[in-house]
Amino acid sequence: MPESPLINPLVLFFASILTSNILLSNFLGTCSFIAISKDWKSSFGLGLAVTLVIGLCAAISWAVLYLVIIPLRIEYLSFVIFIIVIAAVVQVLEMVIDRFSPSLYLSLGIFLPLITVNCAVLGAVLFMQIRKYSLIQSVAFGFGSGAGWWLAIMLLAAIRKRIENNPVPAGLKGTGITLITIGFMAMAFIGFSGMIAVQ
Amino acid sequence: MSAILVGPLAVAGIAAALALVIAGLDRVLNNYGVLTIRINGGKMELSVKGGSPLLSTLAAEGIFVPSACGGRGSCGACKCKVLSDVGPHLPTETPYLSPEEMARNVRLACQVKVKKNLDIELPEELFRVRKFAARVERIRDLTYDIKEVLFALEGQGIEFDPGQYIQLVVPPYDKVPESVQRAYSMSSRPSDPHHVELLIRLVPGGIATTYVHKHLKEGDSAELVGPFGDFGVRDTPATMLCVAGGSGMAPFKSILYHMQETGAYPEKEIWYFFGARTTKDMFYLEELRELSASWPRFHFVPALSEPRPDEGWQGETGLITDVLDRYIRERIDPHRGFEGYLCGSPGMINACVAVMQKNGIGEDNIYYDKFA
């Protein structure tokens, strides 16, 4: 087992929400971020699902990494293995939600399976590997990253709602003004950096 | 050597382990026990295993809701009314349903999962629908692109009204990975319940028509699901104006021979307009001319839109709509009123509806199955 960095998991959790927000500082998971943030309710559901998936994937991938990949020296296959793990976790989550919360299942609809290809999930898992987090740190980092993504999409959904009726130049309507908005948001989040360093 | 094997084996092992977990969870989570589906206010009650889509659950019980795509949510045919609350319409359903249908709780049976006891409504005709195992008895070329395919049904015969259609189950072949179903009007007669005859025109790039034209051989086995549809003769004294083009001949062949055989609707006069481009596209000419010669109330009007001078064409010429228009205005006795029966391409049907309406035939008295 490698030496883990000396960061309190709780600090790591909040740091990954604010100072190193996976979306606004690493720009991962932007496609569904832009597509879904049109609608406040869907954003909420998708954010929740992403948070659950990243948290679970971080924990399971940690186990697979240190119990299978490293002992067998197949690090060169870690990308493939992580993607398989993510797909399986999403599948299981879909079945569980379908069974126990049909209303949430309906509101998530087709977004749930799409999380499989959300790069924020794979990104978080790879950061977990590169930064050599411990299991508890990985879980904190995973749920924190998910919550950060959730926070970012809720903020963007709110801003988009706010500017819906504003006189945006025709060429910038829709995705154009959204990308500019994301840029501003990212700059605002830079304000948090330096408070806590996680990398 | 072992280093090469470790990687693939580890990936395969992890994938297999996860698949096992998913399969195990699926058995636990997707187990809804035995549920009851009440159909049409209790006329029929089914005890089924929950957890599957309504469409396949009903099919397992021998009730076949029409479906062209086989339950993948891409045809929108399997509409049925679900009275129990199964949640709001899914994004996969809304493109196929009108606001009125949504207000009446119409759902796509392939998208509704059976998770609790359900109360549903289905058209009565569907109870006659069954899946038939069949063998291809004969394939005959009618024209260069239309084949007449005769299926011999194994076991029980089919009970249907002339004019109804049946779905041919096309198995996976070549680059078509999944089984699909396509609807074809039956050209055979109800008096021979052990045979089903279809007229199938080759549509370039069509999955089912390519299968029938290029792969299906005499002696092959096939599956048919039906009968469906309400395209049939109405019990009124009005004169029938039947118009068809190409493989749209099929339902009329069934209807006409059935009427002649049984003497049904003796008051009705029947005019049958059949349009084609050249003699190469024309078929059943002799048979239908003989029929009209021996059956006084039946009048057959074949027409070619582009006859070549060397073909020696004796019949009408011009677009079928123009011929129809001319006959309605000049040749046919109007005092019993008219009913329009149409089968062909959507373009032909639209044009014929326009001609009929122009001549005072109300939309309520024009019947058709539109196959795109």
Side-chain angles (χ1 to χ4, degrees), chain B residues 72-210:
Chain B
R72 280 174 292 136
S74 59
C75 72
C78 59
K79 289 176 186 171
C80 82
K81 215 165 153 182
V82 178
L83 303 173
S84 318
D85 179 24
V86 287
H89 287 84
L90 301 176
T92 41
E93 294 176 278
T94 43
Y96 301 103
L97 300 171
S98 68
E100 297 84 59
E101 285 175 324
M102 287 202 233
R104 286 193 293 122
N105 291 325
V106 174
R107 309 290 298 236
L108 295 190
C110 67
Q111 301 297 313
V112 174
K113 203 164 147 184
V114 182
K115 293 195 210 172
K116 55 180 190 176
N117 295 337
L118 292 180
D119 226 331
I120 64 172
E121 269 180 29
L122 293 173
E124 294 284 335
E125 310 90 76
L126 283 185
F127 300 121
R128 277 160 72 187
V129 173
R130 285 188 293 121
K131 193 172 213 168
F132 297 92
R135 203 172 39 74
V136 179
E137 192 165 297
R138 189 183 68 213
I139 301 181
R140 202 153 69 100
D141 282 320
L142 295 179
T143 70
Y144 61 96
D145 69 346
I146 299 179
K147 283 188 192 291
E148 177 197 271
V149 186
L150 185 67
F151 295 94
L153 303 184
E154 285 158 10
Q156 221 178 339
I158 183 170
E159 188 191 325
F160 70 101
D161 297 321
Q164 285 196 293
Y165 66 89
I166 201 162
Q167 290 183 176
L168 174 65
V169 181
V170 180
Y173 71 97
D174 280 4
K175 285 177 185 153
V176 179
E178 286 183 74
S179 173
V180 296
Q181 298 190 8
R182 289 289 184 271
Y184 297 98
S185 294
M186 287 177 276
S187 55
S188 45
R189 304 163 216 187
S191 57
D192 179 6
H194 296 285
H195 286 96
V196 165
E197 185 190 83
L198 307 178
L199 309 183
I200 298 177
R201 189 176 72 87
L202 179 64
V203 179
I207 293 176
T209 64
T210 307

Side-chain angles (χ1 to χ4, degrees), chain B residues 9-50:
Chain B
L9 284 177
V11 173
I14 291 172
L18 290 169
L20 266 177
V21 171
I22 292 176
L25 273 173
D26 186 51
R27 288 191 66 158
V28 179
L29 291 176
N30 231 344
N31 182 4
Y32 293 87
V34 175
L35 301 171
T36 309
I37 300 181
R38 255 162 56 94
I39 303 174
N40 293 359
K43 272 199 184 151
M44 196 175 193
E45 289 209 4
L46 303 173
S47 290
V48 299
K49 221 171 139 280

Side-chain angles (χ1 to χ4, degrees), chain B residues 247-269:
Chain B
S247 53
M249 168 76 83
F252 295 115
K253 185 182 175 195
S254 178
I255 289 172
L256 294 170
Y257 283 102
H258 175 77
M259 285 175 78
Q260 189 241 359
E261 241 171 44
T262 60
Y265 316 112
E267 291 175 274
K268 269 181 154 18
E269 285 277 312

Side-chain angles (χ1 to χ4, degrees), chain A residues 139-176:
Chain A
V139 172
F141 175 70
F143 279 106
S145 298
W149 198 92
W150 192 358
L151 173 70
I153 196 171
M154 294 309 290
L155 290 176
L156 181 62
I159 296 172
R160 287 184 77 170
K161 185 90 198 150
R162 171 72 182 74
I163 61 174
E164 209 166 58
N165 297 321
N166 288 12
V168 176
L172 285 178
K173 281 211 169 90
T175 312

Side-chain angles (χ1 to χ4, degrees), chain A residues 74 77 92 95 98-99 106, chain B residues 10 29 31 88 90 113 115:
Chain A
I74 47 169
L77 286 172
V92 168
M95 282 169 9
D98 184 16
R99 179 72 212 226
L106 285 175
Chain B
L29 291 176
N31 182 4
L90 301 176
K113 203 164 147 184
K115 293 195 210 172

